[in-house]
Amino acid sequence: MKLKFLHLALAAALAIGVAAPAAAQKKGGDVVVAITNAPPSLDPHATSAQAARHVNLHMFETLYARDEGAKPVPDLARSVAVSPDGLTYVFTLRSGVKFHNGKTMGPADVVASIERYRKGGASASLISAIDSVSASGPDQVTIKLKTVQSTFLGNLSSPRAPIAIMPAEEAAKEMGKASPIGTGPYKFVEYKPDSHVKLARFEDYVPNPAYKERDGFAGAKIAYLDTVTFRFIPEAGARDAATMTGQVQLNETSDEATAKRLKGNPNFTVMKALPYAVQVLKFNMAQGPGTDLNFRRAIAQAINAEEILGTAYPDLYLMDQSWVYPGSPYHTGRALLKQDVAAAKASLAKSSYKGEKLIFIIDNIRPNVDAATVFQQQVAAIGVNVELKVGDWPTISGIGLKSDQGWNFWTHGFGIEPYEGPASAMSHWVKGQGQRKDDPVIDELFAKLNGEMDVAVQKKLFADFENRMADQAIAINLGDYGLFQVVSNKLKNFKPYRITRMWGVWLE
Amino acid sequence: MIRFILRRLLASIPVLLLVSLITFGLLWLVPGDPASMFLDAGATAEALDRVRREMGLDQPFLVRMAQWYGRVLQGDLGQSLLLNRSVAGAILERLPVTLSLTALAFVVSVMLGVAAGVLAAVRHGRLADQGMMTLALIGLSIPEFWLGLVLIWLIAVMVPIFPAGDYVAFATDPWQWAYHIALPTFSLACVQMGFVARMTRSSMLEVLGQDFIRTARAKGLPESYVVVRHGLHNAMVPIVTVMGIMVGALLGGAVVTEQVFSIPGLGRLIIGAVLSRDFPVIQGGLLFLALIYLAVNLAVDLLYAAIDPRVRLE
Amino acid sequence: MSAAAHTATTVAPPPSSRHLAFLRRLLANRSFTIGLVLVGAVVLMALLANLIAPFDPLKGNFKARMVPPGAGHWLGTDHFGRDILSRILHGAQVSLRIGFLVALFTAVAGAVIGATAGYFRYADGPVMRLMDAFMAFPPIILAIAISAVLGASVTNVVIALAIAATPHTARVVRASVMVVREMEYVEAARALGAGHARILLRHVLANAMAPLVVRVTYVFAIAILNEAVLSFIGVGPPPPTPTFGAIIANGRDFIVAAPWITVAPGMAILVSVLGLNMLGDGLRDVLDPRMAVTTR
């Protein structure tokens, strides 16, 4: 009897073992990925730029990471025990995890990394609730919070400016000066500014045994490729050309025209990463007609959001105006803005706007400029006179982050915040950061959300936030847009995500 | 000769100083700083200030200026704020790329331009002359970057003969280097080619009309010998005089060509630095470009003095 | 090649017939006339743009985006659905105005600076060093930097391009001024008690006029080209202003799908610049045939 059971078990095990991998993954090969911008730093704590994430999240990992559905799950930690009062988190670390320089990861490294981030990380405010971090055992780290934070695990696992775990010796270095030594499936090889970053498979990498498959930023991150090279090619045409000629196997972002052209091409697959970001139209509520609710309402009624998105992101937009993405448990299927020119004119008449020229600042990215151009025409129809001020990002962001610099409108995308969750999505409007004027209702909702552990209540708070944003026209959520990613058919099992993940993919 | 060189070198110093002062003036006026490149759109004011402090940007402008001059006098151009390497390193990495593009375009435009100009002069008034000069005029009038775009479209995408950009170092693979640099060189050289052709033609016409040419012909020397040995040799003088300006124009054009073809050269480095406010790279890069410009002008003046003995009396 | 009319010591025929003869010589020059026709055509297009443009150049049509050239839109539409032909016609207005203003400012600034440097010996050194310093900047980078400082607008583009073009013009003026400075009639005028200003204006600059005019024509052409580059890089006049360069820049991401957006404005630049170059050539031939070494 026992023997038969054993035979059965063995057969079952074999069956599972054989069935699990879908197609035959091949180890080896070199892949080149074309990305738009170069990472400003390979020190993961120092920068929150998207370009840095592509590269750094292949070399570094975090205690907890977001899965495919953006839920925080264990990555370098095995598990966490949270005290009943929600103020103490005890993380049990995985054992046998190696850094790229051969050192074994231990609690000292985790503590040093978190402390470094707390002091000067790009989004240090994420973990400002931390009171103390300490090693509490051979594979244990204890974090004590000052106040309850429902979003703590979410913040810890934020991929935005990740709280990457690096060796304590690197963590001791000044911000921006740490060498790219992490625990990730790929390790650093070389960086040529304005050209490329090259990574190679880290042979001593052990995928997290708790998972079988890749899962968002977590899961089993198996590196099949020998090397991955990220080439920085800012010109869209050059990226397309490089893809067509086989110089790169993956183009981070292409456009509708190329996507149409490549339909049916046996060598390439075009994938949509949609939704990828929210296109936001911001008002300066501290100066000019933006202070007036009637004016903001008039604008919200005058525009046709679909025309704006359709021009800026042809064939690549989604008319959804919730501040998190569809698929998130906090997503509200809220009604879309309706264009009503008559109502807009009426609201405008009630407002303080006297026909003066207004400034719309935009940075030099084509879709943002296009969105502003369409907006300009649409509001001209109700008599609002808008002038576009295009500049590079340092100039424009410098103007937009101060209230007194003479801007009235600003548009750009928010990619990572809606992905991370309700608190992240709300954070930009807290303390008046985005809209330049405090809204006490939003501030209060944000504080409550942070302290509320009950998901149902959280959902209600978030819905209240969305209503407040729409009601007061604090900013306009035009909708979601995406990316066209062009993949060579030689690269197998690629799936678009927040970054171009090169684990779990292989070359044919 | 040595005195001449030394005097010119000495005269370059105030120019370089002026260049760096003008650059500082522009940087002082330019709004924005590189901190915003480190963070994304959701950055808070505190985060930006922190990054600024880490970059040393919170110090007063004059202090930073003084520090830069102090370093430069010791031969140190500083560290890039965004590129993770020294400014000198970044420049030296890019220099061969831009130099090879510019030098190749220079050679191509001189060779083809001179050939076209000579042909036009020799066949003065006939179809070949009209044709060459019309082509030259059109070449002069084409916007380089537009030509680059159209070439990419026609010859790299529609009919994939040449690659659409990128750069392979000569040392790595000479054939690939030539293959990749063909289109950019052509679009860069086009304008200067037209210019050289016209200048060569008018210069040759002037020389060929002179007495000593008639004498040479009367002596029974073969026409090709007359044209090349006597005619061209003398016609080159005006061309040499404008070579300095030509190189300046090519360097300026290379900057744009690098953008269109995604070539990692000095031009792209500096434009990228300006757009992302990487101050040390802007300072060092512009100073370096000025150095190249002055060096080329000096070389051209020396060449001119070597060719035309009348100038040596200076 | 006709004899140049710049020797002031010959007895001059009455002014009106001298000008008429000059004009006749100009019009007889083939380069000048063809150039005049081309430039004239572009200028005419620009002036009549408001009348003959079939569509509003700023208004997009969401349903007619990226339409290829055809009956409805002769040169097609861009990705906003704006008619390319109308944009080019209106773009001619802006591009030509920029070119003209740059040429004007450069002429004035170049003349003042060049004359000062050429005439007053003590000013020559420092002024020319300063000009050298500006010339050591590739004009595009100078223009990008200035645009970043002043912001992107038609005015600031003009300023940036004028600053970039002035040093060379000043050089040209200075060279002519230096030649004339030594001439006897200038010494004679000074001996008669004429002030510096009077000498400069009446005698010296009059001599520098010829090369200045030719140079300025080329500056006009170069300005149109440079404005296009600035728009291409992204620091030109802000949208939705149509300029030749802006239309090309708009089309650059779609060059494979909609090449007409890029090709048409490029041809417009080609025609304008070609015309101006031919104009300049004609002027040079008539005014001073010895000036074959003018540069671009």
Side-chain angles (χ1 to χ4, degrees), chain B residues 106-127:
Chain B
F106 181 79
V107 166
V108 166
S109 53
V110 166
M111 277 183 14
L112 289 182
V114 166
V118 167
L119 184 64
V122 162
R123 300 252 183 283
H124 177 47
R126 307 224 290 269
L127 193 60

PDB file of all heavy atoms in Angstrom, chain B residues 106-127:
ATOM      1  N   PHE B 106      34.606  66.273 -43.751  1.00  0.00           N
ATOM      2  CA  PHE B 106      35.516  67.277 -44.297  1.00  0.00           C
ATOM      3  C   PHE B 106      36.232  66.728 -45.530  1.00  0.00           C
ATOM      4  O   PHE B 106      36.254  67.349 -46.600  1.00  0.00           O
ATOM      5  CB  PHE B 106      36.533  67.667 -43.221  1.00  0.00           C
ATOM      6  CG  PHE B 106      37.509  68.708 -43.660  1.00  0.00           C
ATOM      7  CD1 PHE B 106      37.150  70.043 -43.682  1.00  0.00           C
ATOM      8  CD2 PHE B 106      38.791  68.351 -44.047  1.00  0.00           C
ATOM      9  CE1 PHE B 106      38.066  71.017 -44.085  1.00  0.00           C
ATOM     10  CE2 PHE B 106      39.695  69.316 -44.448  1.00  0.00           C
ATOM     11  CZ  PHE B 106      39.330  70.655 -44.466  1.00  0.00           C
ATOM     12  N   VAL B 107      36.796  65.538 -45.366  1.00  0.00           N
ATOM     13  CA  VAL B 107      37.529  64.933 -46.480  1.00  0.00           C
ATOM     14  C   VAL B 107      36.611  64.725 -47.676  1.00  0.00           C
ATOM     15  O   VAL B 107      36.943  65.068 -48.814  1.00  0.00           O
ATOM     16  CB  VAL B 107      38.163  63.598 -46.035  1.00  0.00           C
ATOM     17  CG1 VAL B 107      38.613  62.798 -47.234  1.00  0.00           C
ATOM     18  CG2 VAL B 107      39.316  63.855 -45.095  1.00  0.00           C
ATOM     19  N   VAL B 108      35.431  64.154 -47.395  1.00  0.00           N
ATOM     20  CA  VAL B 108      34.481  63.883 -48.481  1.00  0.00           C
ATOM     21  C   VAL B 108      34.078  65.167 -49.171  1.00  0.00           C
ATOM     22  O   VAL B 108      34.061  65.252 -50.404  1.00  0.00           O
ATOM     23  CB  VAL B 108      33.234  63.155 -47.936  1.00  0.00           C
ATOM     24  CG1 VAL B 108      32.116  63.183 -48.961  1.00  0.00           C
ATOM     25  CG2 VAL B 108      33.566  61.731 -47.566  1.00  0.00           C
ATOM     26  N   SER B 109      33.749  66.198 -48.384  1.00  0.00           N
ATOM     27  CA  SER B 109      33.269  67.418 -49.032  1.00  0.00           C
ATOM     28  C   SER B 109      34.394  68.099 -49.792  1.00  0.00           C
ATOM     29  O   SER B 109      34.166  68.648 -50.867  1.00  0.00           O
ATOM     30  CB  SER B 109      32.626  68.375 -48.028  1.00  0.00           C
ATOM     31  OG  SER B 109      33.478  68.630 -46.959  1.00  0.00           O
ATOM     32  N   VAL B 110      35.617  68.048 -49.278  1.00  0.00           N
ATOM     33  CA  VAL B 110      36.723  68.659 -50.021  1.00  0.00           C
ATOM     34  C   VAL B 110      37.003  67.883 -51.303  1.00  0.00           C
ATOM     35  O   VAL B 110      37.106  68.451 -52.392  1.00  0.00           O
ATOM     36  CB  VAL B 110      37.992  68.748 -49.149  1.00  0.00           C
ATOM     37  CG1 VAL B 110      39.209  69.062 -50.005  1.00  0.00           C
ATOM     38  CG2 VAL B 110      37.827  69.806 -48.090  1.00  0.00           C
ATOM     39  N   MET B 111      37.089  66.569 -51.161  1.00  0.00           N
ATOM     40  CA  MET B 111      37.414  65.770 -52.351  1.00  0.00           C
ATOM     41  C   MET B 111      36.344  65.905 -53.424  1.00  0.00           C
ATOM     42  O   MET B 111      36.626  66.256 -54.565  1.00  0.00           O
ATOM     43  CB  MET B 111      37.593  64.300 -51.969  1.00  0.00           C
ATOM     44  CG  MET B 111      38.984  64.032 -51.449  1.00  0.00           C
ATOM     45  SD  MET B 111      39.350  62.306 -51.041  1.00  0.00           S
ATOM     46  CE  MET B 111      38.041  61.381 -51.766  1.00  0.00           C
ATOM     47  N   LEU B 112      35.108  65.626 -53.043  1.00  0.00           N
ATOM     48  CA  LEU B 112      34.041  65.692 -54.042  1.00  0.00           C
ATOM     49  C   LEU B 112      33.811  67.124 -54.508  1.00  0.00           C
ATOM     50  O   LEU B 112      33.567  67.375 -55.687  1.00  0.00           O
ATOM     51  CB  LEU B 112      32.741  65.114 -53.474  1.00  0.00           C
ATOM     52  CG  LEU B 112      32.725  63.600 -53.280  1.00  0.00           C
ATOM     53  CD1 LEU B 112      31.376  63.141 -52.773  1.00  0.00           C
ATOM     54  CD2 LEU B 112      33.043  62.906 -54.598  1.00  0.00           C
ATOM     55  N   GLY B 113      33.894  68.063 -53.568  1.00  0.00           N
ATOM     56  CA  GLY B 113      33.645  69.450 -53.930  1.00  0.00           C
ATOM     57  C   GLY B 113      34.705  69.970 -54.886  1.00  0.00           C
ATOM     58  O   GLY B 113      34.395  70.612 -55.899  1.00  0.00           O
ATOM     59  N   VAL B 114      35.952  69.680 -54.578  1.00  0.00           N
ATOM     60  CA  VAL B 114      37.025  70.145 -55.455  1.00  0.00           C
ATOM     61  C   VAL B 114      36.898  69.502 -56.841  1.00  0.00           C
ATOM     62  O   VAL B 114      37.009  70.168 -57.870  1.00  0.00           O
ATOM     63  CB  VAL B 114      38.401  69.845 -54.841  1.00  0.00           C
ATOM     64  CG1 VAL B 114      39.501  70.009 -55.873  1.00  0.00           C
ATOM     65  CG2 VAL B 114      38.656  70.767 -53.660  1.00  0.00           C
ATOM     66  N   ALA B 115      36.647  68.203 -56.839  1.00  0.00           N
ATOM     67  CA  ALA B 115      36.487  67.516 -58.128  1.00  0.00           C
ATOM     68  C   ALA B 115      35.381  68.154 -58.950  1.00  0.00           C
ATOM     69  O   ALA B 115      35.551  68.435 -60.144  1.00  0.00           O
ATOM     70  CB  ALA B 115      36.198  66.041 -57.882  1.00  0.00           C
ATOM     71  N   ALA B 116      34.235  68.393 -58.288  1.00  0.00           N
ATOM     72  CA  ALA B 116      33.111  68.987 -59.011  1.00  0.00           C
ATOM     73  C   ALA B 116      33.465  70.388 -59.501  1.00  0.00           C
ATOM     74  O   ALA B 116      33.160  70.765 -60.633  1.00  0.00           O
ATOM     75  CB  ALA B 116      31.877  69.035 -58.110  1.00  0.00           C
ATOM     76  N   GLY B 117      34.132  71.144 -58.636  1.00  0.00           N
ATOM     77  CA  GLY B 117      34.484  72.520 -59.007  1.00  0.00           C
ATOM     78  C   GLY B 117      35.457  72.574 -60.167  1.00  0.00           C
ATOM     79  O   GLY B 117      35.323  73.381 -61.088  1.00  0.00           O
ATOM     80  N   VAL B 118      36.442  71.687 -60.141  1.00  0.00           N
ATOM     81  CA  VAL B 118      37.417  71.641 -61.232  1.00  0.00           C
ATOM     82  C   VAL B 118      36.720  71.267 -62.528  1.00  0.00           C
ATOM     83  O   VAL B 118      36.918  71.897 -63.570  1.00  0.00           O
ATOM     84  CB  VAL B 118      38.529  70.628 -60.905  1.00  0.00           C
ATOM     85  CG1 VAL B 118      39.345  70.339 -62.152  1.00  0.00           C
ATOM     86  CG2 VAL B 118      39.412  71.157 -59.793  1.00  0.00           C
ATOM     87  N   LEU B 119      35.896  70.248 -62.449  1.00  0.00           N
ATOM     88  CA  LEU B 119      35.162  69.811 -63.642  1.00  0.00           C
ATOM     89  C   LEU B 119      34.350  70.963 -64.223  1.00  0.00           C
ATOM     90  O   LEU B 119      34.342  71.211 -65.430  1.00  0.00           O
ATOM     91  CB  LEU B 119      34.242  68.642 -63.283  1.00  0.00           C
ATOM     92  CG  LEU B 119      33.493  68.019 -64.452  1.00  0.00           C
ATOM     93  CD1 LEU B 119      34.486  67.405 -65.420  1.00  0.00           C
ATOM     94  CD2 LEU B 119      32.517  66.956 -63.969  1.00  0.00           C
ATOM     95  N   ALA B 120      33.658  71.663 -63.326  1.00  0.00           N
ATOM     96  CA  ALA B 120      32.816  72.772 -63.783  1.00  0.00           C
ATOM     97  C   ALA B 120      33.663  73.869 -64.406  1.00  0.00           C
ATOM     98  O   ALA B 120      33.303  74.440 -65.431  1.00  0.00           O
ATOM     99  CB  ALA B 120      32.007  73.317 -62.614  1.00  0.00           C
ATOM    100  N   ALA B 121      34.826  74.144 -63.818  1.00  0.00           N
ATOM    101  CA  ALA B 121      35.676  75.215 -64.342  1.00  0.00           C
ATOM    102  C   ALA B 121      36.234  74.841 -65.705  1.00  0.00           C
ATOM    103  O   ALA B 121      36.270  75.648 -66.627  1.00  0.00           O
ATOM    104  CB  ALA B 121      36.811  75.496 -63.359  1.00  0.00           C
ATOM    105  N   VAL B 122      36.652  73.592 -65.810  1.00  0.00           N
ATOM    106  CA  VAL B 122      37.251  73.150 -67.062  1.00  0.00           C
ATOM    107  C   VAL B 122      36.215  73.119 -68.183  1.00  0.00           C
ATOM    108  O   VAL B 122      36.496  73.451 -69.318  1.00  0.00           O
ATOM    109  CB  VAL B 122      37.890  71.764 -66.860  1.00  0.00           C
ATOM    110  CG1 VAL B 122      38.121  71.077 -68.176  1.00  0.00           C
ATOM    111  CG2 VAL B 122      39.187  71.908 -66.092  1.00  0.00           C
ATOM    112  N   ARG B 123      34.986  72.728 -67.817  1.00  0.00           N
ATOM    113  CA  ARG B 123      33.921  72.702 -68.829  1.00  0.00           C
ATOM    114  C   ARG B 123      33.062  73.964 -68.713  1.00  0.00           C
ATOM    115  O   ARG B 123      31.840  73.910 -68.793  1.00  0.00           O
ATOM    116  CB  ARG B 123      33.006  71.495 -68.604  1.00  0.00           C
ATOM    117  CG  ARG B 123      33.660  70.162 -68.683  1.00  0.00           C
ATOM    118  CD  ARG B 123      33.266  69.421 -69.957  1.00  0.00           C
ATOM    119  NE  ARG B 123      33.842  68.087 -69.999  1.00  0.00           N
ATOM    120  CZ  ARG B 123      35.107  67.856 -70.307  1.00  0.00           C
ATOM    121  NH1 ARG B 123      35.935  68.855 -70.549  1.00  0.00           N
ATOM    122  NH2 ARG B 123      35.558  66.619 -70.336  1.00  0.00           N
ATOM    123  N   HIS B 124      33.734  75.067 -68.501  1.00  0.00           N
ATOM    124  CA  HIS B 124      33.071  76.330 -68.208  1.00  0.00           C
ATOM    125  C   HIS B 124      32.018  76.678 -69.246  1.00  0.00           C
ATOM    126  O   HIS B 124      32.273  76.664 -70.442  1.00  0.00           O
ATOM    127  CB  HIS B 124      34.138  77.421 -68.160  1.00  0.00           C
ATOM    128  CG  HIS B 124      33.590  78.790 -67.944  1.00  0.00           C
ATOM    129  ND1 HIS B 124      32.653  79.068 -66.968  1.00  0.00           N
ATOM    130  CD2 HIS B 124      33.840  79.955 -68.558  1.00  0.00           C
ATOM    131  CE1 HIS B 124      32.370  80.368 -67.008  1.00  0.00           C
ATOM    132  NE2 HIS B 124      33.075  80.930 -67.965  1.00  0.00           N
ATOM    133  N   GLY B 125      30.811  77.007 -68.765  1.00  0.00           N
ATOM    134  CA  GLY B 125      29.762  77.446 -69.671  1.00  0.00           C
ATOM    135  C   GLY B 125      28.951  76.303 -70.259  1.00  0.00           C
ATOM    136  O   GLY B 125      27.865  76.510 -70.761  1.00  0.00           O
ATOM    137  N   ARG B 126      29.487  75.075 -70.171  1.00  0.00           N
ATOM    138  CA  ARG B 126      28.756  73.971 -70.820  1.00  0.00           C
ATOM    139  C   ARG B 126      27.829  73.279 -69.821  1.00  0.00           C
ATOM    140  O   ARG B 126      27.733  73.682 -68.678  1.00  0.00           O
ATOM    141  CB  ARG B 126      29.757  72.986 -71.417  1.00  0.00           C
ATOM    142  CG  ARG B 126      30.737  73.730 -72.319  1.00  0.00           C
ATOM    143  CD  ARG B 126      31.000  73.045 -73.602  1.00  0.00           C
ATOM    144  NE  ARG B 126      31.780  71.827 -73.449  1.00  0.00           N
ATOM    145  CZ  ARG B 126      33.115  71.787 -73.505  1.00  0.00           C
ATOM    146  NH1 ARG B 126      33.808  72.895 -73.601  1.00  0.00           N
ATOM    147  NH2 ARG B 126      33.749  70.637 -73.409  1.00  0.00           N
ATOM    148  N   LEU B 127      27.184  72.211 -70.281  1.00  0.00           N
ATOM    149  CA  LEU B 127      26.166  71.540 -69.474  1.00  0.00           C
ATOM    150  C   LEU B 127      26.711  71.041 -68.139  1.00  0.00           C
ATOM    151  O   LEU B 127      26.073  71.174 -67.099  1.00  0.00           O
ATOM    152  CB  LEU B 127      25.583  70.372 -70.279  1.00  0.00           C
ATOM    153  CG  LEU B 127      24.307  69.788 -69.673  1.00  0.00           C
ATOM    154  CD1 LEU B 127      23.233  70.862 -69.589  1.00  0.00           C
ATOM    155  CD2 LEU B 127      23.804  68.620 -70.512  1.00  0.00           C
TER     156      LEU B 127
END
